[in-house]
């Protein structure tokens, strides 16, 4: 038979070696794949067009795709308590807070030489603080920009106006009103804290500070039982007086105010006037060295009352009691590594710490999650004054110069989103490099060192299939309404790894069949490629897809969505390998047989055989220089070595040691997850976390919520029980003052000089720990305390069941109209902080959270602790269970598929063993590489399962089809498919190696996990499995099959000249 003009085939029909008897399932599948391949080989363009039409049609579903960015919707199991508590808190206390924490150290000297308590640093900090307090946010511009962005007017109109931290104060007939006040309030006071509080943030006091004054103020600060509104740094200040420190009895108050008046006469003389509203206004009459005197005003000094009543707020011009009521923060919570010196209590320190709290007024945007644009802009400008450019791309741009004296770090509410986003954007270049590396590697290894047989188009198409797969998957997920999440970005690497592996297998099988049967037309070689390569790829794809799809039943939404996306993507990737890569392979074969150059197929090259590469310029290569069968020969020699007795002994010894280390590590790996892991190491946020853990040891702030229309009168004992628990629990940071309205109210109520409760009955007596005996008197006294300035700072912690009873601002001496006090409280809460030791690891955090829930509920039914971070902590409690569950599901699926498609009990159990050992070893070595069990690593472990199946299943399938003794079959399998598996391992390794340079936690974990799996699982597939099968795989004799049994019509078509003859002769072509 004459096939074209370049070569001929003898009239005798060739005979093909069959591997022997096969199972019904794989036999039927191979027959089906052969028929499909033949159709694809004959009509490649139709399949390409059909694939493109399908992709375009399905991608229409992308418009319906929903992205979920809210962590509580992704990482909290359905029905988890954290979700229930989060919904309750957000609905009950909608005006929640955004805490913006910071630390500062010396910028002009090294840390070991830094004394942050030097007056020059405190003065500079005051300058920066004042700039921050003067920040103005143009809400009208924000609203205008949002209108333009969304092309409509929305609920964001609430952000209109000018906003600042303290707002613009305006005097009215009823007092002072604040417009555009963005701070979160503790009662009437803006929530902020820093060392400046010790000096009352007073410009005059701070400007006159010297070292002695700083040390004097810090030494006096914690001794106060009530706040002294005057300078603690001045040696003449009455704040050092014992009466002013206590300020409890009428005599103590009288004496303190007398001393204050004398002090202020010199430090800051004032005068009082009456404004147009009738309000008394105090102003200095000369140089003022202590602005606290302005607050006190021209006090009239009343004679101590004989009945001891202390209700002197207003009325006679004396300083209000509330001005003196507070609980001082511990110095060590504001100054890191603070130390004394001789008789000086606090002389040196390394860091300052503090916070600004903003009121949270968020709106939910499906594409960006919850946002408060006013707060975010205020925080951006505040960070800029600290020398930190939070978002360089934001408009208007800011000039954020680092200060010459102070270096800041911080954790603002916007910080995690900013830094994580910048880390991901910074890795886009690395991701692009990964794709470029794979394209280059595929081009080199799939094709030849030749302008005709280079394989560049095939390499590009292998990556294009990844794009088609991802696009089609997004469209299908949009149509069936499975949300998208950030985790799905990892699909690119999964599909890239699997897709490139499949491309290596199919291209290798095509070249092999072209070598073994050079007389067959292209369509028939494509048919044989689909028959042998298609079934090999099917084993891995079907196993991976089913494992992921079954794993989608997990209770963690983000993990469930990822598994569903991955399962569908793997199926689509496999389909595109058949309907896109095989047609391109057929078209590429037509091009090579026409001697047209790769990529520039309009030009022809001089005729040459595939085993005679000429290089890119047709002159720079010889077969000896550019031959590409080195890897195949190396695999053959490697197989011959490891299948000898000494080779088997060495192999088993090495893998026994690896298994031992892996098992040991897998028993020690633990659960942990921290948000800061997502932040680059060099970020100001990570610097803050490090400084906090080393110098402040501050933990997570929480609230203790009492819910469901509390009968506070009957729950008095419960309130005491919760207070005692919080005060004595080793989980609660005792160095940080707790905000406990019940404790403060009862101290006020049992004061023997308190007029409002003078005739009230208490049990057992009017002393500490007492309880009201009458419901009406209890609620009347509670509202009296709540309505006046004394208890106003706790209004954000109490919510009355009768809405008219709630007081938003100002003071009230009587319950408002319509107020039903006996209806009790709808909700209330305490504030506290957990210790760093109780929250340093994921398991500790989860255990702390569950312990608090249990202990608080036992003391106050339905009371619960809450922090927004609990949403992340909840994951730690179940992530190990979910990981084990998914691994078991994957194991069962792998077992069933491998046994079904490799129906030889001398082979399939050892495939499964290698996969199981690979996963165990990867888990174990993850522990030694500081990788913990988290939602992120769980995803990568599941990806590893898929890749582990690939490496072992390909070798097993080719071993099954090989003939000879068990040792010969193992060597043949390695020689045939080993190069493909090695290329898949090496290309994936090369791609993820770039990710090892990333500052992003997600990509560093990706690098570590995939590095382990491609090396460990690849070694098990290429090394251990052939060694085992060479012992127990058994022998198989070949069966000669007449080629006419394959397809007699092939020769008729070829003879009629319907297909061009291949340009492959002899045994020149080799696997990739």
């Amino acid at each position: 038979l004459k096939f074209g003009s370049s070569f001929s085939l003898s009239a005798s029909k060739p005979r093909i070696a069959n591997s022997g008897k096969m199972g019904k399932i794989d036999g039927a599948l191979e027959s089906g794949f052969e028929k499909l391949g033949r159709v694809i080989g004959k009509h490649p363009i139709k399949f390409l067009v059909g694939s493109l039409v399908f992709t375009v049609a399905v991608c229409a579903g992308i418009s319906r795709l929903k992205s979920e960015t809210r962590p509580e919707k992704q990482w909290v199991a359905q029905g988890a308590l954290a979700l229930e508590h989060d919904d309750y808190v957000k609905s009950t206390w909608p005006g929640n807070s955004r805490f913006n924490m910071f630390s500062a150290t010396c910028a002009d000297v090294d840390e070991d030489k830094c004394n942050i308590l030097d007056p020059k640093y405190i003065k500079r900090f005051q300058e920066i603080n004042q700039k921050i307090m003067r920040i103005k946010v143009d809400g009208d511009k924000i609203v205008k920009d949002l209108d333009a962005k969304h092309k409509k007017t929305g609920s964001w109109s609430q952000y209109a106006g000018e906003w600042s931290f303290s707002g613009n104060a305006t005097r009215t007939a009823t007092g002072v009103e604040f417009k555009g006040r963005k701070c979160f309030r503790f009662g009437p006071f803006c929530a902020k804290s820093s060392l400046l509080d010790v000096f009352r943030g007073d410009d005059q006091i701070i400007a006159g500070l010297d070292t002695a004054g700083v040390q004097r103020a810090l030494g006096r600060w914690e001794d106060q039982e009530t706040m002294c509104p005057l300078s603690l740094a001045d040696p003449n200040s009455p704040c050092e007086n014992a009466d002013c420190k206590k300020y409890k009895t009428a005599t103590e108050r009288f004496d303190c105010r007398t001393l204050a008046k004398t002090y202020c006469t010199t430090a800051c003389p004032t005068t009082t006037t009456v404004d147009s509203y009738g309000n008394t206004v105090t102003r200095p009459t000369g140089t003022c060295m202590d602005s606290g005197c302005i607050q006190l005003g021209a006090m009239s000094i009343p004679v101590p009352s004989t009945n001891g009543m202390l209700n002197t707020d207003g009325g006679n011009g004396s300083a209000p009691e509330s001005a003196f009521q507070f609980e001082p923060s511990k110095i060590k919570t504001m100054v890191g590594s603070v130390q004394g010196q001789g008789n000086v209590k606090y002389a040196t320190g390394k860091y300052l710490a503090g916070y600004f709290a903003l009121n949270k007024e968020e709106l939910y945007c499906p594409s960006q999650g919850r946002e408060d644009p006013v707060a975010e802009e205020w925080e951006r400008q505040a960070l800029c004054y600290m020398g930190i450019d939070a978002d360089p791309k934001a408009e208007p741009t800011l000039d954020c110069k680092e200060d010459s004296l102070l270096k800041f770090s911080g954790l603002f509410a916007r910080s995690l989103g900013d830094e994580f986003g910048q880390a991901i954007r910074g890795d886009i270049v690395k991701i692009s490099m990964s794709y470029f590396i794979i394209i280059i590697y595929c081009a080199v290894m799939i094709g030849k060192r030749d302008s005709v047989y280079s394989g560049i188009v095939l390499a590009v198409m292998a990556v294009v299939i990844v794009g088609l797969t991802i696009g089609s998957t997004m469209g299908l997920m949009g149509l069936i309404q499975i949300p998208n999440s950030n985790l799905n970005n990892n699909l690119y690497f999964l599909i890239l790894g699997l897709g490139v592996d499949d491309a290596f297998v199919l291209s290798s099988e095509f070249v092999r069949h072209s070598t073994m049967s050079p007389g067959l037309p292209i369509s028939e070689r494509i048919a044989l490629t689909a028959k042998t390569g298609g079934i090999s790829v099917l084993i891995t794809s079907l196993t991976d897809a089913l494992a992921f799809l079954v794993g989608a039943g997990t209770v963690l939404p983000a993990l469930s969505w990822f598994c569903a996306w991955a399962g569908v993507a793997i199926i689509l990737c496999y389909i595109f390998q058949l309907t896109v890569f095989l047609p391109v392979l057929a078209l590429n074969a037509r091009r090579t047989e026409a001697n047209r150059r790769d990529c520039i197929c309009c030009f022809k090259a001089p005729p040459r055989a595939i085993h005679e590469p000429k290089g890119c310029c047709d002159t720079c290569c010889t077969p000896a220089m550019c031959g590409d069968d080195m890897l195949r020969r190396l695999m053959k020699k490697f197989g011959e070595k490891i299948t000898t007795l000494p080779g088997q002994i060495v192999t088993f010894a090495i893998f026994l040691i690896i298994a031992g280390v892996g098992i040991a590590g897998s028993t020690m790996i633990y659960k942990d997850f921290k948000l800061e892991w997502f932040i680059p190491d060099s970020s100001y946020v990570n610097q803050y976390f490090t400084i906090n853990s080393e110098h402040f040891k501050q933990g997570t702030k929480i609230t203790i919520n009492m819910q469901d229309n509390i009968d506070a009168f009957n729950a008095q004992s419960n309130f005491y029980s919760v207070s005692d628990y919080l005060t004595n629990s080793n989980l609660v940071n005792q160095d940080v003052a707790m905000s406990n309205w019940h404790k403060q109210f009862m101290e006020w109520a049992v004061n023997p000089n308190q007029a409002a409760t003078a005739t009230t009955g208490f049990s057992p007596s009017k002393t500490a720990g007492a309880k009201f005996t009458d419901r009406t008197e209890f609620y009347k006294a509670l509202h009296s305390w709540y309505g006046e300035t004394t208890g106003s700072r706790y209004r954000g912690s109490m919510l009355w069941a009768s809405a008219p009873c709630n007081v938003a601002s100002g003071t009230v001496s009587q319950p408002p109209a319509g107020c039903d006090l006996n209806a009790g409280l709808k909700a209330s809460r305490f504030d506290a902080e957990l210790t760093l030791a109780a929250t340093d690891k994921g398991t500790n955090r989860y255990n702390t959270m569950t312990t608090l829930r249990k202990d608080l509920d036992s003391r106050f039914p339905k009371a619960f602790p809450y922090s927004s971070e609990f949403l992340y902590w909840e994951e730690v409690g179940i992530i190990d269970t979910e990981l084990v569950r998914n691994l078991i599901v994957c194991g069962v699926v792998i077992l069933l598929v491998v046994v079904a498609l490799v129906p030889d009990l001398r082979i399939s159990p050892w495939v499964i063993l290698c996969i199981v050992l690979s996963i165990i070893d990867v888990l174990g070595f993850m522990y030694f590489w500081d990788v913990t069990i988290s939602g992120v690593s769980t995803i990568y472990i599941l990806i590893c399962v898929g890749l582990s199946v690939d490496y072992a299943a390909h070798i097993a399938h080719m071993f099954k089809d090989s003939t000879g003794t068990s040792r010969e079959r193992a060597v043949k399998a390695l020689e045939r498919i080993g190069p493909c598996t090695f290329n898949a391992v090496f290309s994936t390794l090369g791609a993820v190696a770039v990710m090892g340079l990333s500052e992003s936690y997600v990509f560093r974990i990706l690098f570590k996990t995939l590095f382990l799996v491609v090396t460990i699982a690849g070694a098990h597939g290429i090394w251990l499995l052939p060694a085992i099968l060479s012992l127990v795989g058994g022998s198989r004799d070949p069966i000669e099959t007449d080629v006419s049994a394959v397809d007699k019509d092939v020769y008729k078509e070829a003879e009629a000249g319907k297909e061009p003859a291949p340009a492959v002769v002899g045994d020149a072509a080799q696997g990739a």
Side-chain angles (χ1 to χ4, degrees), residues 239 381 583 884 935:
C239 296
Q381 294 187 36
V884 171

Side-chain angles (χ1 to χ4, degrees), residues 515-587:
T515 302
M516 294 178 61
S517 305
L520 295 180
I522 293 174
S523 62
E524 191 61 22
R525 283 178 279 147
I526 292 292
L528 293 175
T529 300
K531 175 183 178 181
T532 57
I535 190 69
S536 180
V537 172
L538 174 66
I539 295 174
T540 59
S541 299
L542 182 62
T543 304
D544 295 343
L546 288 177
F548 277 113
L549 289 174
V550 175
T554 178
V555 297
L556 288 175
L559 190 54
S560 174
W561 302 335
F562 175 81
C563 287
W565 278 63
V568 172
I570 291 170
I571 293 173
L572 289 173
C573 181
Y574 177 68
I575 292 173
F576 284 130
Q577 293 293 336
L578 298 179
T579 63
V580 175
F581 192 79
L582 283 182
V584 171
L585 200 59
L587 293 174

Side-chain angles (χ1 to χ4, degrees), residues 726-756:
L726 295 176
T727 303
N728 297 294
S729 174
N730 59 1
L731 302 177
V732 178
N733 189 352
Q734 304 302 329
D735 291 330
V736 177
M738 285 177 279
S739 176
N740 184 331
W741 67 262
H742 181 262
K743 176 183 176 182
Q744 297 299 322
F745 164 61
M746 291 307 299
E747 288 181 359
W748 172 87
V750 300
N751 190 315
N753 298 311
Q754 182 53 250

Side-chain angles (χ1 to χ4, degrees), residues 12 65 73 203 258 341 385 392 452 533 651 691 697 858 877 945 951:
S12 60
L65 183 64
K73 300 298 183 182
D203 285 333
T258 301
Q341 198 172 70
Y385 282 124
V452 174
T651 296
I691 292 168
K697 301 190 183 302
S858 66
V945 173
Y951 302 145

Side-chain angles (χ1 to χ4, degrees), residues 512-761:
R512 174 177 172 271
H513 289 300
S514 296
T515 302
M516 294 178 61
S517 305
L520 295 180
I522 293 174
S523 62
E524 191 61 22
R525 283 178 279 147
I526 292 292
L528 293 175
T529 300
K531 175 183 178 181
T532 57
I535 190 69
S536 180
V537 172
L538 174 66
I539 295 174
T540 59
S541 299
L542 182 62
T543 304
D544 295 343
L546 288 177
F548 277 113
L549 289 174
V550 175
T554 178
V555 297
L556 288 175
L559 190 54
S560 174
W561 302 335
F562 175 81
C563 287
W565 278 63
V568 172
I570 291 170
I571 293 173
L572 289 173
C573 181
Y574 177 68
I575 292 173
F576 284 130
Q577 293 293 336
L578 298 179
T579 63
V580 175
F581 192 79
L582 283 182
V584 171
L585 200 59
L587 293 174
N588 189 68
R590 294 182 184 180
R591 177 191 60 77
T592 59
E593 291 179 356
N595 291 309
R596 296 188 178 275
R597 299 184 187 277
D598 202 0
C599 297
I600 47 174
C601 55
C602 295
F603 299 93
K604 285 190 174 184
R608 83 283 305 275
I610 193 172
H611 65 288
E612 297 176 348
K614 302 295 184 181
C616 60
C617 303
D618 294 335
T619 59
C620 59
C621 268
T622 66
M625 293 170 55
C626 299
D628 59 354
D629 64 342
M630 181 182 296
L631 185 56
R632 178 188 63 81
R633 288 186 283 108
L634 288 175
M635 281 293 166
K636 180 179 180 181
K637 290 181 179 179
F638 178 70
E640 291 171 347
K641 294 290 185 183
I642 64 173
T643 55
T644 62
L645 181 59
Q648 292 167 340
I649 293 174
V650 172
T651 296
F652 298 149
I654 291 174
F655 281 92
L656 185 62
I657 294 172
I658 293 174
V661 175
I663 292 171
S666 61
T667 60
M668 294 186 286
I669 195 168
Y670 58 91
K671 302 177 290 182
D672 199 4
F673 177 78
K674 296 179 181 179
L675 280 178
E676 53 264 39
W677 289 348
F678 285 89
I679 307 302
D681 296 335
S682 60
S683 165
Y684 72 93
V685 178
N686 249 330
Q687 293 171 11
Y688 173 82
F689 282 123
T690 301
I691 292 168
N692 177 59
S693 63
E694 294 178 357
H695 298 277
F696 292 98
K697 301 190 183 302
Q698 294 179 354
T700 303
K701 298 183 184 300
I702 63 170
T703 59
I704 312 303
N705 292 266
M706 282 68 75
Q707 57 180 330
D708 290 347
N709 294 328
I710 306 161
D711 186 345
F713 173 74
N714 287 334
Q716 291 180 84
S717 296
N718 302 101
F719 281 119
Y720 277 122
S721 180
V722 170
S723 297
D724 291 341
Y725 173 75
L726 295 176
T727 303
N728 297 294
S729 174
N730 59 1
L731 302 177
V732 178
N733 189 352
Q734 304 302 329
D735 291 330
V736 177
M738 285 177 279
S739 176
N740 184 331
W741 67 262
H742 181 262
K743 176 183 176 182
Q744 297 299 322
F745 164 61
M746 291 307 299
E747 288 181 359
W748 172 87
V750 300
N751 190 315
N753 298 311
Q754 182 53 250
T757 58
T759 60
T760 301

Side-chain angles (χ1 to χ4, degrees), residues 19 957-964 969 972-973 976 1036:
S19 58
H957 181 257
M958 294 307 171
F959 181 89
K960 177 181 72 72
D961 285 348
S962 299
T963 60
R969 295 173 71 193
K972 288 180 179 179
R976 176 178 173 183
R1036 170 164 291 176

